[in-house]
Amino acid sequence: MSTSGASPEVGASAEELHYFVCDLARRTGELQLSRYDDPGEIKEKAPKDLVTEVDLLCEEFLIDEIQERYPDDAILSEERGGEISATGRTWLLDPVDGTANFARANPIFCACISVVEDQEVKHAAVVAPRLGDVYHASLGGGAFRDSKGETYPLRVGETENLENAFVGADVSFQGGDDPRKNGTLEVFRRCWQVRSIGSAGIRGAWLAAGYLDVSIGTRNTAWDYAPTVLLVSEAGGRVTNLTGGPWTYDSDGLIASSGDTLHEEVLKLTASG
């Protein structure tokens, strides 16, 4: 992939770029729906880590569209890989987030598209086509949900303490004694309710919309977490890495919440694991 240092505004304004991101998300969602009942061959990339024909089909579509429109941009995608540009603009892609759900015709799946530069997420979109929603945000421009031809601003909820919080996380407790999992389990014990939905993209979007209060991710998958970083921040929430520092592309996880007081409570518990 190219690592050109071309300016993000060359050939397109920020508004035009954001429109393209949202339109590309919608078209990817349409492609997912066209194969909703026919995911094709399902393989394991690793134990319990699935990839379907539709993942690869959507990824090829996304990369082809981006390279045609912005040939100098770098691309990092879940299945094909790639790289993050040190000097220019990069697209982070998860063509089907929630593949295990999609493989079972569970409607909780999405596509995640983010545009990043200089360690900042500038544009992001999460399309959940089976739910009829497109969540999108631009840096400094707010966060929104498009649904049934209408656009609604996003705002995080007002929950200030964990005992009243809805917490979203997708953590497997099989395997070794990982302190991060122990800390997450303590968060589960102290919150009001837990939501494990199988899609990091939708989880982050729902936090930005106020449907959840906390989102915890314990993997290093920038294409999954970048949309949450921008959506939640633009909706008035807080996002950090697992130790409370700034989230970066190589962070080993993410904590997002509706506000500082709740966030500090979660950080303290996850650190105690």
Side-chain angles (χ1 to χ4, degrees), residues 121-140:
V121 186
K122 299 295 185 70
H123 301 272
V126 172
V127 57
R130 201 65 177 80
L131 306 180
D133 293 327
V134 178
Y135 297 87
H136 57 97
S138 59
L139 186 63

Side-chain angles (χ1 to χ4, degrees), residues 23-32 58 61-62 95 111 113 127:
D23 182 63
L24 188 59
R26 292 187 185 95
R27 289 186 287 147
T28 305
E30 291 170 359
L31 183 54
Q32 291 174 341
C58 289
F61 168 73
L62 285 163
I113 302 172
V127 57

Side-chain angles (χ1 to χ4, degrees), residues 56-249:
L56 302 179
L57 183 65
C58 289
E59 183 174 63
E60 181 179 13
F61 168 73
L62 285 163
I63 291 174
D64 286 350
E65 291 293 310
I66 293 166
Q67 288 182 331
E68 180 179 354
R69 184 74 174 264
Y70 302 108
D72 291 328
D73 289 4
I75 299 173
L76 176 62
S77 187
E78 179 176 14
E79 310 304 337
R80 195 179 295 188
E83 60 191 8
I84 293 177
S85 172
T87 57
R89 187 168 57 199
T90 302
W91 296 71
L92 304 179
L93 308 175
D94 190 344
V96 180
D97 177 40
T99 299
N101 288 346
F102 184 83
R104 297 188 181 203
N106 180 320
I108 307 299
F109 63 89
C110 65
C112 297
I113 302 172
S114 301
V115 180
V116 302
E117 186 178 20
D118 298 330
Q119 289 290 331
E120 286 188 316
V121 186
K122 299 295 185 70
H123 301 272
V126 172
V127 57
R130 201 65 177 80
L131 306 180
D133 293 327
V134 178
Y135 297 87
H136 57 97
S138 59
L139 186 63
F144 303 89
R145 175 175 67 93
D146 294 349
S147 182
K148 298 179 180 179
E150 300 291 334
T151 298
Y152 306 90
L154 298 179
R155 191 69 185 172
V156 295
E158 299 180 354
T159 302
E160 295 184 355
N161 52 69
L162 192 55
E163 67 175 342
N164 294 319
F166 284 12
V167 173
D170 293 302
V171 180
S172 172
F173 287 94
Q174 297 179 347
D177 187 22
D178 186 337
R180 295 179 303 177
K181 293 180 180 180
N182 296 335
T184 301
L185 185 57
E186 190 60 31
V187 173
F188 291 171
R189 290 192 182 104
R190 301 197 186 194
C191 74
W192 182 9
Q193 293 189 21
V194 177
R195 300 285 186 264
S196 184
I197 62 177
S199 167
I202 291 179
R203 191 170 71 237
W206 283 5
L207 198 164
Y211 308 153
L212 298 173
D213 303 300
V214 176
S215 177
I216 302 174
T218 57
R219 299 181 298 167
N220 179 10
T221 50
W223 44 78
D224 284 334
Y225 296 153
T228 294
V229 172
L230 188 59
L231 286 166
V232 171
S233 297
E234 289 293 323
R238 181 179 173 189
V239 182
T240 68
N241 64 18
L242 296 177
T243 59
W247 180 86
T248 63
Y249 310 138

